[in-house]
DNA sequence: GCCAACGTTGGC
DNA sequence: GCCAACGTTGGC
């Protein structure tokens, strides 16, 4: 079992948007970075833990606890000419982009990025490192445990 | 294979 | 809106 931090822009899909979805589950489409894709395609398994992180917004931070709800399958938006995620180089036979489904476990009181930065236990977290822009990053089990048991509040 | 130009991310 | 950091593209 692995643990992940997954960034979402709340203007695109917020924790409340996720809560409103059928089965409180969303397809994590639109990832167009190979490292992030490889994490989903090669490493994610049903039941992995995920921190749902709000990025590119007034108060960025961890907004909820989620779980990986499917293994990876081809991202439908790569084939959709109308989509901003359309990729002319992708074909049905050789899809280039994949996504998993992510299901809400529970919404928490937002743990702001500034709060995460205060804790030495988290200083090696990839998302906190300077210059990191990856939208999906692995979390150490210790980091997952610290955040979910020590910082997360209902 | 190099690398400059360009586009994107995302905190502030 | 700014801008640093980084990934991707494409000419050579």
């Amino acid at each position: 079992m692995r643990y992940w931090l997954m960034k979402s822009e709340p203007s695109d899909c917020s924790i409340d948007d996720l809560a409103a979805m059928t089965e409180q589950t969303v397809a994590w489409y639109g990832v167009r970075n190979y490292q992030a894709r490889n994490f989903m395609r090669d490493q994610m398994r049903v039941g992995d833990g995920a921190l749902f992180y709000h990025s590119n917004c007034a108060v960025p931070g961890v907004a909820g606890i989620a779980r990986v709800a499917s293994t990876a399958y081809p991202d439908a938006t790569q084939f959709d000419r109308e989509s901003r995620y359309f990729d002319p180089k992708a074909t049905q036979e050789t899809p280039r982009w994949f996504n998993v489904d992510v299901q809400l476990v529970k919404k928490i009181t937002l743990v702001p990025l500034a709060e995460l930065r205060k804790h030495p236990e988290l200083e090696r977290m990839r998302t906190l490192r300077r210059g990191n822009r990856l939208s999906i990053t692995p979390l150490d089990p210790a980091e997952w445990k610290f955040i979910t048991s020590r910082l997360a509040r209902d």
Side-chain angles (χ1 to χ4, degrees), chain A residues 70-126:
Chain A
S70 78
T71 49
Y73 57 92
D75 178 337
T77 62
Q78 70 193 305
F79 309 122
D80 177 5
R81 291 187 174 278
E82 304 301 310
S83 170
R84 58 187 280 228
Y85 299 115
F86 176 67
D87 184 343
K89 293 180 182 164
T91 65
Q92 298 278 352
E93 294 71 32
T94 53
R96 182 184 281 207
W97 305 110
F98 293 81
N99 63 245
V100 297
D101 291 339
V102 173
Q103 181 173 38
L104 181 65
V105 173
K106 65 172 180 177
K107 181 181 174 177
I108 61 172
T109 304
L110 188 85
V111 181
L113 174 60
E115 165 76 18
L116 298 174
R117 288 197 191 285
K118 288 180 187 166
H119 298 282
E121 292 89 340
L122 303 177
E123 69 187 2
R124 298 193 66 251
M125 250 177 80
R126 274 179 80 169

Side-chain angles (χ1 to χ4, degrees), chain A residues 3-152:
Chain A
Y3 302 99
W4 308 94
L5 182 144
M6 303 179 76
K7 296 181 186 173
S8 180
E9 302 192 12
S11 61
D12 200 37
C13 178
S14 71
I15 191 80
D16 291 326
D17 293 332
L18 177 60
M21 301 260 182
T22 307
E23 306 270 317
Q24 302 192 321
T25 299
V26 67
W28 209 263
Y29 63 82
V31 169
R32 293 295 181 269
N33 170 283
Y34 289 103
Q35 255 187 290
R37 177 203 69 179
N38 292 348
F39 284 142
M40 288 197 284
R41 189 190 60 187
D42 303 336
Q43 296 192 26
M44 282 193 186
R45 296 295 176 263
V46 174
D48 281 2
L51 298 178
F52 189 97
Y53 179 94
H54 280 176
S55 70
N56 201 15
C57 56
V59 187
V62 178
I65 313 292
R67 62 188 286 276
V68 174
S70 78
T71 49
Y73 57 92
D75 178 337
T77 62
Q78 70 193 305
F79 309 122
D80 177 5
R81 291 187 174 278
E82 304 301 310
S83 170
R84 58 187 280 228
Y85 299 115
F86 176 67
D87 184 343
K89 293 180 182 164
T91 65
Q92 298 278 352
E93 294 71 32
T94 53
R96 182 184 281 207
W97 305 110
F98 293 81
N99 63 245
V100 297
D101 291 339
V102 173
Q103 181 173 38
L104 181 65
V105 173
K106 65 172 180 177
K107 181 181 174 177
I108 61 172
T109 304
L110 188 85
V111 181
L113 174 60
E115 165 76 18
L116 298 174
R117 288 197 191 285
K118 288 180 187 166
H119 298 282
E121 292 89 340
L122 303 177
E123 69 187 2
R124 298 193 66 251
M125 250 177 80
R126 274 179 80 169
T127 309
L128 303 189
R129 292 208 210 126
R130 187 163 164 270
N132 177 75
R133 299 185 322 179
L134 258 191
S135 63
I136 297 175
T137 50
L139 278 178
D140 287 345
E143 293 164 349
W144 166 267
K145 191 169 182 210
F146 184 80
I147 293 169
T148 55
S149 67
R150 303 277 306 279
L151 303 184

